[in-house]
């Protein structure tokens, strides 16, 4: 059942993005006077579809849902009647060819901007960007960032939400440098700002790989102070098997004092298959236990520890000082959606460059299985998360398709720019060599990405 829901979620999110990408190619081709033969969602054998009586275009859904294509009249793919040569793609001016090929990725950029625009216009109550906790032995701790101060900028870029902070920090993945954090303090009623320099080394790599950017950096939003008292245990969990009991209060783990449940769960999650020394208070007496968290994998394949202990129920009240309502008007939302699209596009290209240079590992590359899992996870959270996931995937499709690799749209654009400069197209032989190289590169990336997906399952 989970597999079916994951598949449906992927189809629901990816299907429209692929359809609209191909529609970009399709509509611009028709506007440029090129005859379209087939509009297909998916590759391979035709599952179902119809042929337009007016235009003769074959609209179809095909068996392999890993993309789609628009097939146009082209002398390189078959004989073209003399009276239709002016309708063939290969006979068009290079600028028309560039417009047709670029239309698909541009459509994906437009989708991303539109979805971000809707999300920015949706009022939301969020946690204020005040630092709730600084984790020990992290860049934030080394920079001595004060708890309670409000984060207003990262590396000189203004930030208003924790999501924005997370993206700015994630953009520094793999780097060794200082991260600039500007804080605003309202101590004694005076709003003063101060910029701190936090040193990072191979950020989010090594032992921190798989952690989110905020945890890796070490500055955490406000979190409720939930007493670390065990409320329930799973019968087959490590905690139950190794002596933890309902009502126990966890006071220390590996000698580190524990004052709240979230601190305990963070240590447990970060210690899969690692023997931990627990100190618990039971009936007024201190008890020592040794518990090894079971190694688990989350939906993205990251390892985490779990002992099968649940916290006792308690009421959670967020202080007003740590709450904020984020509301933007239509105009401001549109500006922000453009800026966010630009920021994420630059970050995506930068991450690819870091992978190629070895600054970050190729294991960060994800394929269709991970995308499907993320899509399913977004449906489990909220409609806003579904739109956000769709926007991110659409943006990724746009950037990936514009890479200057033959077979991809970006590679074809390079060919047509050369044709525009030379006044004639590259020879068929040169183009075929480029396409074969592109196919090998693309196949290699796909094998690597799917391999990474599979490794995350086990």
């Amino acid at each position: 059942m989970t597999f079916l829901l994951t598949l449906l979620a992927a189809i629901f999110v990816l299907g429209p993005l692929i359809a609209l990408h191909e529609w970009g190619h399709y509509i611009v081709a028709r506007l440029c006077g090129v005859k379209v033969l087939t509009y297909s969602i998916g590759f391979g054998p035709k599952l179902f579809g119809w042929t337009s009586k007016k235009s003769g275009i074959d609209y179809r859904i095909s068996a392999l849902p890993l993309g789609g294509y628009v097939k146009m009249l082209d002398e390189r793919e078959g004989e073209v009647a003399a009276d239709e040569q002016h309708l063939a793609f290969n006979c068009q001016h290079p600028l028309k060819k560039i417009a047709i090929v670029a239309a698909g990725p541009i459509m994906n950029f437009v989708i991303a901007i539109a979805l971000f625009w809707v999300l920015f216009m949706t009022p939301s109550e969020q946690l204020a960007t005040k630092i709730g906790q600084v984790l020990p032995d992290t860049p934030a701790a080394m920079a001595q960032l004060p708890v309670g101060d409000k984060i207003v900028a990262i590396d000189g870029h203004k930030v208003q939400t924790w999501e924005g902070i997370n993206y700015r920090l994630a953009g520094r993945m793999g780097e060794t440098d200082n991260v600039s954090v500007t804080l605003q303090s309202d101590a004694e009623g005076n709003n003063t700002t101060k910029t701190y320099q936090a040193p990072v080394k191979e950020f989010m790599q090594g032992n921190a790989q798989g952690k989110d950017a905020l945890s890796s950096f070490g500055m955490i939003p406000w979190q409720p102070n939930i007493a670390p008292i065990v409320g329930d245990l799973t019968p087959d969990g490590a905690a139950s098997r190794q002596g933890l009991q309902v009502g126990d209060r966890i006071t220390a783990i590996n000698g580190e004092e524990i004052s709240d449940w979230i601190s305990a769960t963070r240590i447990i999650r970060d210690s899969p298959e690692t023997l931990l020394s627990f100190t618990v208070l039971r009936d007024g007496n201190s008890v020592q236990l040794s518990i090894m968290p079971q190694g688990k994998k989350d939906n993205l394949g990251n390892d985490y520890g779990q002992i099968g202990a649940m916290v006792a129920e308690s009421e959670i009240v967020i202080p007003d000082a740590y709450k904020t309502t984020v509301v933007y008007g239509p105009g401001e939302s549109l500006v922000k959606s453009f800026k966010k699209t630009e920021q994420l596009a630059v970050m995506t290209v930068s991450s690819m460059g870091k992978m190629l240079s070895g600054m970050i590992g190729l294991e960060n590359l994800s394929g269709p299985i991970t995308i499907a899992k993320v899509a399913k996870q977004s449906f489990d959270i909220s409609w806003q998360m579904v739109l956000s996931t769709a926007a991110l995937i659409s943006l990724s499709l746009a950037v990936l398709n514009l890479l200057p690799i033959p077979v991809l749209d970006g590679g074809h654009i390079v060919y047509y720019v050369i044709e525009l400069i030379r006044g004639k197209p590259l020879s068929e032989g040169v183009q075929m060599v480029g396409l074969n190289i592109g196919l090998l590169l693309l196949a290699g990336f796909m094998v690597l990405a799917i391999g990474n997906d599979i490794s995350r399952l086990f």
Side-chain angles (χ1 to χ4, degrees):
M1 186 64 178
T2 301
F3 170 78
L4 180 60
L5 291 175
T6 301
L7 181 62
L8 290 174
I11 292 172
F12 187 87
V13 172
L14 281 172
L17 300 181
I18 293 170
L20 288 169
H21 174 98
E22 298 305 331
W23 185 81
H25 294 308
Y26 164 86
I27 195 65
V28 174
R30 298 199 69 181
L31 289 172
C32 289
V34 176
K35 184 175 182 179
V36 175
L37 303 177
T38 306
Y39 175 92
S40 176
I41 306 303
F43 296 102
K46 179 178 179 179
L47 294 179
F48 58 87
W50 71 96
T51 300
S52 170
K53 293 181 180 180
K54 182 178 179 181
S55 64
I57 298 172
D58 176 19
Y59 298 93
R60 61 170 67 180
I61 303 293
S62 299
L64 299 175
L66 297 175
Y69 63 92
V70 174
K71 183 178 180 180
M72 291 167 268
L73 190 67
D74 195 310
E75 289 179 318
R76 296 167 298 181
E77 296 185 11
E79 191 173 338
V80 176
D83 60 342
E84 286 194 322
Q85 285 187 349
H86 66 289
L87 302 176
F89 176 82
N90 67 295
C91 296
Q92 305 304 311
H93 188 278
L95 288 177
K96 284 188 176 182
K97 295 178 184 178
I98 292 170
I100 293 168
V101 173
I106 289 172
M107 180 58 66
N108 283 125
F109 277 123
V110 171
I111 295 166
I113 291 167
L115 292 176
F116 285 139
W117 182 56
V118 172
L119 291 170
F120 276 120
M121 282 198 300
T122 305
S124 61
E125 186 171 82
Q126 301 186 23
L127 286 173
T129 58
K130 289 188 174 184
I131 300 175
Q133 184 182 359
V134 172
L135 301 180
D137 302 320
T138 61
M142 286 185 277
Q144 298 183 330
L145 301 186
V147 172
D149 280 10
K150 183 180 181 181
I151 306 163
V152 294
I154 300 291
D155 290 330
H157 299 280
K158 290 183 180 179
V159 289
Q160 295 174 287
T161 64
W162 281 103
E163 181 190 43
I165 295 167
N166 190 65
Y167 280 133
R168 287 294 173 191
L169 291 176
R172 301 297 299 272
M173 182 188 295
E175 296 182 19
T176 298
D177 200 353
N178 285 329
V179 175
S180 172
V181 183
T182 303
L183 303 180
Q184 183 182 78
S185 174
D186 57 0
E188 300 178 359
N190 297 318
N191 285 330
T192 58
T193 59
K194 182 178 178 180
T195 298
Y196 297 77
Q197 300 299 322
V200 295
K201 184 177 181 180
E202 297 179 353
F203 185 52
M204 297 177 69
Q205 300 302 292
N207 292 334
Q209 191 161 329
K211 292 184 182 179
D212 63 274
L214 292 176
S215 297
S216 297
F217 193 75
M219 54 187 188
I220 305 297
W222 176 89
Q223 294 174 326
N225 189 4
I226 303 171
I229 299 173
V230 179
D232 197 8
L233 295 165
T234 56
D236 58 344
S240 179
R241 293 198 313 269
Q242 295 166 343
L244 198 65
Q245 296 181 11
V246 172
D248 284 353
R249 184 186 186 100
I250 303 171
T251 57
I253 300 178
N254 278 5
E256 181 178 333
E257 185 178 342
I258 299 296
S259 59
D260 65 275
W261 183 263
I262 293 174
S263 297
T265 58
R266 183 176 295 115
I267 295 173
I268 293 166
R269 287 186 64 86
D270 291 347
S271 309
E273 304 299 330
T274 303
L275 191 64
L276 300 176
S277 175
F278 280 68
T279 303
V280 302
L281 192 64
R282 180 184 299 167
D283 299 328
N285 299 314
S286 182
V287 178
Q288 298 292 324
L289 299 170
S290 294
I291 303 175
M292 180 182 289
Q294 294 170 284
K296 303 283 186 179
K297 285 185 179 290
D298 63 19
N299 286 336
L300 299 180
N302 298 315
D303 294 319
Y304 68 95
Q306 185 181 80
I307 64 172
M310 281 68 75
V311 68
E313 290 187 13
S314 60
E315 185 180 1
I316 297 174
V317 179
I318 303 175
D320 291 339
Y322 285 90
K323 291 190 293 187
T324 184
T325 300
V326 179
V327 183
Y328 304 112
E332 188 179 7
S333 295
L334 187 60
V335 171
K336 284 188 170 295
S337 66
F338 271 96
K339 288 183 177 179
K340 184 169 183 175
T341 301
E342 177 192 11
Q343 175 198 346
L344 294 178
V346 170
M347 190 172 79
T348 301
V349 174
S350 174
S351 296
M352 291 177 186
K354 290 176 182 178
M355 284 186 197
L356 293 175
S357 68
M359 189 178 290
I360 63 177
L362 290 173
E363 63 273 7
N364 290 284
L365 193 66
S366 296
I369 298 173
T370 297
I371 291 172
K373 283 191 165 190
V374 171
K376 166 64 168 59
Q377 194 174 39
S378 70
F379 277 91
D380 294 337
I381 298 173
S382 66
W383 66 267
Q384 290 98 328
M385 186 57 69
V386 173
L387 294 190
S388 179
T389 299
L392 292 171
I393 295 174
S394 186
L395 181 59
S396 297
L397 288 173
V399 173
L400 289 171
N401 272 285
L402 285 175
L403 292 177
I405 298 174
V407 177
L408 298 178
D409 293 332
H412 289 294
I413 290 172
V414 170
Y415 281 164
Y416 303 138
V417 168
I418 293 173
E419 180 182 343
L420 183 65
I421 295 170
R422 294 178 75 229
K424 61 180 181 179
L426 291 169
S427 68
E428 288 292 321
V430 171
Q431 291 192 45
M432 285 306 300
V433 169
L435 289 173
N436 288 332
I437 293 172
L439 279 171
L440 286 173
L441 286 172
L442 194 60
F445 279 124
M446 284 299 295
V447 168
L448 180 60
I450 294 173
N452 287 343
D453 286 351
I454 294 172
S455 71
R456 295 184 183 114
L457 297 176
F458 304 101

